[in-house]
Amino acid sequence: MSTSKLWGGRFKEGVTDVAAAYTESVSFDQAMYRQDIAGSIAHARMMARQGVISREEADALCLGLESVREEIESGGFVWRRDHEDVHMNIESRLTELVGEIGKKLHTGRSRNDQVALDFRLFVSDRSRVWQDRAIGLVKTLAGRAQENTATLMPGFTHMQPAQPVSLAQHLLAYAVMFRRDVERLKDADRRIRVSPLGAAALAGAAYPFDPASVAAELEMTGVFANSMDAVSDRDFVLEALFAASVVMMHLSRLCEDIILWATPAFGFIRLPDAYSTGSSIMPQKKNPDVAELMRGKTGRVYGALMALLATMKGLPMAYNRDLQEDKEAFLDADRTVSSSLEVMAGMMAELVFVPERMRLALRRGFLNATELADYLVGKGLPFREAHHITGQAVALAEERKLALEDLPLEALQGLCPRIDREVYGALDFDQAVARRGISGGTAPDAVGRQLAELRAWLAKAGG
Ligand code: ARG
């Protein structure tokens, strides 16, 4: 039993050790000590400006808080579970250091608005790390795309070979997904960085506070609109977790491509040794474990989003302790998304592409069939008829175990007398790709424009 709580005034008995272990959060919320101290410093300074405490008192509090931060960063700070959370650990150490004045820090403030402020700053800081890493990945993908604007490969629909595309086009599809992710996180950041300080427990502080000046000092975008919402809202965590889930979904799709491409059946890439593992029983194997794990970990991040949505749905106004559950879910998702983005950038930088295998797959998959149909349309045939004749040409090539472009002219003319020697130019893969010059298309010049746009974005985004 313990009775040494900062809130223990009306309590005769402490909670049992089991209950204390069950309710404590300091083992994980100490991660946001920097944000807690920054918030407290801003609160103390604002109180001095508003005449709620004296300048000297505010100076002593700020100096004390800085010392606590140094203690934490030098590893000398002792985190006490009986002080429950990061807030009370820091405040009680502050009071040990500066004496009675320390007890003034919490004037007009509740842990309810304090934790909401700390966590908003923390979520925003972490989401900026994700943004930086996503920008790094976009840069890597753009670099690999640049090297491969003329590397052709099959593009798929329904997992069936469909039309030739450049490898650059395929890689840029992912680059623009991660660019969108960065934009999504930036947009959410405006709502994450709204200060709840001044909402106090739920009804608003009864002191002449100036919440806007606290928000400005902490580089936030605004202040709470309603005190009850301010202490009970966790939309900001949900938005970050949703954005993280989308990042992971994009990463997982890329992993799926990597896993397929590394199979002997595809053979489009060779996995770098640093990103694959062997089998303990089958000596020939090189497994794409890193990509598989990333695909697997995606589920954990979705889990965090689902867990918090479920936690929120039954909460009455205003603060309820259930809200403490936001932190572990977020911390786990943060570890996953930040490490995944970093690992993927490393893996993409080192992947070895095998263009010969991509070419071979093009020829075997009749990926120039659409070109033949378009060629026939050019000769005046209605598209439906052109489609039908092309189907017959594919069947003939299949029967003779040849690629379309290897069928002799007479054989093609047997299907349609209007076909002439120019058909071989139409069937050429490079020409097929070059015809897709539409903005956002796979032709080298269209890919060049996509790359230029991406580079301009990267320059602005700090990549
Ligand atoms: N650890 C708590 C949380 O994360 C801090 C706020 C506690 N507030 C309270 N009224 N018990 O939500």
Side-chain angles (χ1 to χ4, degrees):
M1 302 272 171
S2 65
T3 47
S4 62
K5 300 287 182 195
L6 292 189
W7 43 250
R10 61 159 292 183
F11 287 78
K12 291 197 187 72
E13 251 188 295
V15 290
T16 65
D17 285 347
V18 180
Y22 194 77
T23 52
E24 69 87 21
S25 57
V26 66
S27 57
F28 50 87
D29 67 14
Q30 56 180 267
M32 53 189 203
Y33 75 87
R34 252 189 297 116
Q35 292 78 7
D36 187 76
I37 290 172
S40 287
I41 289 175
H43 180 61
R45 287 204 187 117
M46 180 276 292
M47 287 200 291
R49 280 194 301 276
Q50 300 301 111
V52 177
I53 60 173
S54 73
R55 291 237 163 248
E56 294 70 37
E57 286 170 332
D59 288 346
L61 288 172
C62 293
L63 266 165
L65 285 161
E66 303 277 8
S67 319
V68 174
R69 176 164 51 207
E70 279 158 29
E71 275 185 18
I72 295 172
E73 286 172 358
S74 66
F77 190 89
V78 183
W79 294 101
R80 284 177 47 179
R81 203 187 67 184
D82 58 329
H83 284 155
E84 273 184 39
D85 55 32
V86 61
H87 324 293
M88 291 197 292
N89 265 273
I90 289 174
E91 194 189 315
S92 56
R93 180 64 185 139
L94 173 71
T95 302
E96 273 173 28
L97 290 173
V98 303
E100 287 298 294
I101 297 167
K103 296 183 180 171
K104 292 200 173 184
L105 176 63
H106 211 51
T107 310
R109 190 172 70 166
S110 155
R111 273 185 297 160
N112 298 350
D113 58 347
Q114 185 179 3
V115 70
L117 173 71
D118 295 3
F119 203 38
R120 281 175 178 274
L121 292 172
F122 185 81
V123 169
S124 164
D125 288 349
R126 295 312 301 166
S127 116
R128 288 171 184 196
V129 171
W130 306 346
Q131 288 176 49
D132 284 347
R133 293 190 181 180
I135 290 167
L137 178 56
V138 171
K139 201 172 170 185
T140 305
L141 287 165
R144 296 310 310 260
Q146 185 93 55
E147 299 160 14
N148 288 288
T149 54
T151 309
L152 301 195
M153 66 183 302
F156 294 81
T157 63
H158 314 270
M159 269 315 284
Q160 301 292 327
Q163 288 180 337
V165 291
S166 68
L167 173 56
Q169 177 77 349
H170 197 132
L171 295 173
L172 289 177
Y174 286 105
V176 299
M177 291 181 217
F178 295 115
R179 174 174 66 183
R180 246 185 346 256
D181 287 332
V182 173
E183 295 297 328
R184 192 180 344 268
L185 285 163
K186 263 199 203 143
D187 179 59
D189 200 61
R190 292 187 293 123
R191 287 178 295 278
I192 296 171
R193 289 186 88 86
V194 171
S195 176
L197 209 67
L202 80 163
Y207 292 85
F209 281 175
D210 177 17
S213 71
V214 172
E217 183 167 337
L218 295 169
E219 292 174 1
M220 300 181 85
T221 50
V223 296
F224 65 98
N226 176 286
S227 62
M228 292 175 79
D229 176 56
V231 292
S232 64
D233 164 44
R234 291 296 180 274
D235 292 4
F236 66 98
V237 195
L238 290 168
E239 278 200 62
L241 287 174
F242 170 70
S245 296
V246 179
V247 169
M248 290 306 297
M249 179 270 287
H250 290 153
L251 286 170
S252 186
R253 290 184 66 189
L254 180 49
C255 287
E256 181 61 15
D257 272 342
I258 290 170
I259 292 163
L260 281 173
W261 290 355
T263 59
F266 276 77
F268 290 180
I269 54 169
R270 274 198 295 277
L271 286 174
D273 285 352
Y275 293 91
S276 41
T277 46
S279 157
S280 55
I281 178 166
M282 297 163 282
Q284 84 281 12
K285 291 193 73 174
K286 191 165 176 185
N287 296 329
D289 292 35
V290 173
E292 289 171 306
L293 262 173
M294 204 175 288
R295 194 177 53 182
K297 284 174 187 287
T298 301
R300 280 220 342 235
V301 178
Y302 295 0
L305 172 62
M306 286 304 147
L308 186 57
L309 278 170
T311 296
M312 296 306 296
K313 75 182 276 289
L315 295 190
M317 278 290 156
Y319 178 88
N320 298 273
R321 190 65 177 269
D322 316 43
L323 291 169
Q324 180 169 296
E325 285 297 306
D326 58 358
K327 283 168 212 69
E328 282 170 293
F330 181 83
L331 288 168
D332 187 67
D334 172 36
R335 270 190 297 276
T336 307
V337 74
S338 22
S339 59
S340 299
L341 282 166
E342 194 178 23
V343 168
M344 181 57 90
M347 186 156 63
M348 286 315 296
E350 287 184 40
L351 273 188
V352 179
F353 295 110
V354 189
E356 313 82 70
R357 292 290 307 235
M358 297 180 185
R359 271 275 165 187
L360 199 65
L362 273 183
R363 287 170 48 78
R364 285 192 185 143
F366 303 110
L367 279 98
N368 45 4
T370 311
E371 308 314 306
L372 178 57
D374 286 344
Y375 165 85
L376 291 171
V377 167
K379 292 282 175 196
L381 268 70
F383 182 76
R384 280 284 155 238
E385 206 172 313
H387 185 284
H388 184 73
I389 293 170
T390 304
Q392 291 177 320
V394 168
L396 184 66
E398 230 168 9
E399 195 183 296
R400 298 198 189 174
K401 297 194 172 23
L402 290 174
L404 274 179
E405 62 276 24
D406 295 332
L407 282 173
L409 188 58
E410 308 76 64
L412 288 166
Q413 284 170 335
L415 298 171
C416 175
R418 288 196 220 180
I419 296 179
D420 56 26
R421 190 144 288 287
E422 279 166 27
V423 72
Y424 295 106
L427 289 173
D428 180 76
F429 291 108
D430 293 279
Q431 287 192 34
V433 167
R435 276 194 285 274
R436 269 96 190 155
I438 187 168
S439 183
T442 188
D445 55 335
V447 165
R449 290 195 301 274
Q450 291 183 51
L451 270 167
E453 216 187 277
L454 214 49
R455 296 252 180 250
W457 178 82
L458 277 168
K460 263 217 216 128

